[in-house]
Amino acid sequence: MIGEIYPDGGMNRSPNDVAVVEGLLKVVEVEYQSSGQLSSDVLHSLFLLHGQSLFSAFDLIDNKKVTKVMSTSGRCVYQVLGSSGTPYVCLPHSNFCQCPAFKFAVVKRRESVVCKHVLAAHLSSAMGVTESKFVSNEYVMDVLAHMD
């Protein structure tokens, strides 16, 4: 199915890709929450959409580099510690990231739907394995104010 959607191997992404990704994340959520694992079909579909970024995202999740930072007022962001040690901020209902790969591969070249940081945040949330950190509302607002 995914191969039919992306016969060019994933190049030249379209806005409809976001809908495909969101639908697949719902499948990830249901499957992982019910069985504690993902089927080979789901993993294959994720790989067809995200390529090598999928492995990098799972590596970030496995190494507990994804943290959901939540304030007492309910505001939240994801902080994903990149492989270089740089913390990147991802918003819960957005595909934006501050990393250079997002600007280059997602925005300029349009060869990816999301970067590995956003993918890790979305997957860890869907799987229910995200670490949580509770902070003041001011802390979250400061994080948001310093986003590029």
Side-chain angles (χ1 to χ4, degrees):
M1 177 181 122
I2 301 294
E4 296 169 0
I5 296 172
Y6 303 116
D8 62 353
M11 303 305 279
N12 301 318
R13 304 287 187 172
S14 74
N16 292 332
D17 295 345
V18 174
V20 172
V21 170
E22 289 173 356
L24 190 51
L25 284 171
K26 288 180 182 171
V27 172
V28 166
E29 181 177 5
V30 169
E31 192 168 290
Y32 195 85
Q33 297 297 325
S34 68
S35 69
Q37 60 186 12
L38 298 176
S39 69
S40 58
D41 287 341
V42 170
L43 290 170
H44 186 251
S45 295
L46 285 167
F47 180 76
L48 288 173
L49 278 170
H50 300 289
Q52 294 298 319
S53 293
L54 179 64
F55 299 118
S56 299
F58 277 131
D59 187 54
L60 291 169
I61 294 167
D62 289 343
N63 289 300
K64 306 219 181 285
K65 304 289 185 181
V66 182
T67 304
K68 185 177 184 178
V69 180
M70 300 185 320
S71 74
T72 53
S73 69
R75 287 191 172 97
C76 69
V77 296
Y78 289 94
Q79 286 186 325
V80 182
L81 192 60
S83 50
S84 67
T86 303
Y88 295 107
V89 176
C90 302
L91 304 175
H93 302 288
S94 170
N95 291 325
F96 174 79
C97 184
Q98 302 165 296
C99 74
F102 176 83
K103 292 174 187 165
F104 184 70
V106 178
V107 176
K108 289 184 181 176
R109 293 185 59 196
R110 297 183 184 169
E111 63 187 21
S112 299
V113 180
V114 295
C115 68
K116 67 181 180 181
H117 310 107
V118 170
L119 181 57
H122 289 324
L123 284 172
S124 68
S125 178
M127 294 165 48
V129 297
T130 310
E131 300 288 320
S132 294
K133 176 181 175 181
F134 296 93
V135 298
S136 68
N137 192 48
E138 291 76 25
Y139 180 88
V140 174
M141 295 305 287
D142 285 344
V143 168
L144 292 172
H146 291 96
M147 287 182 67
D148 291 342

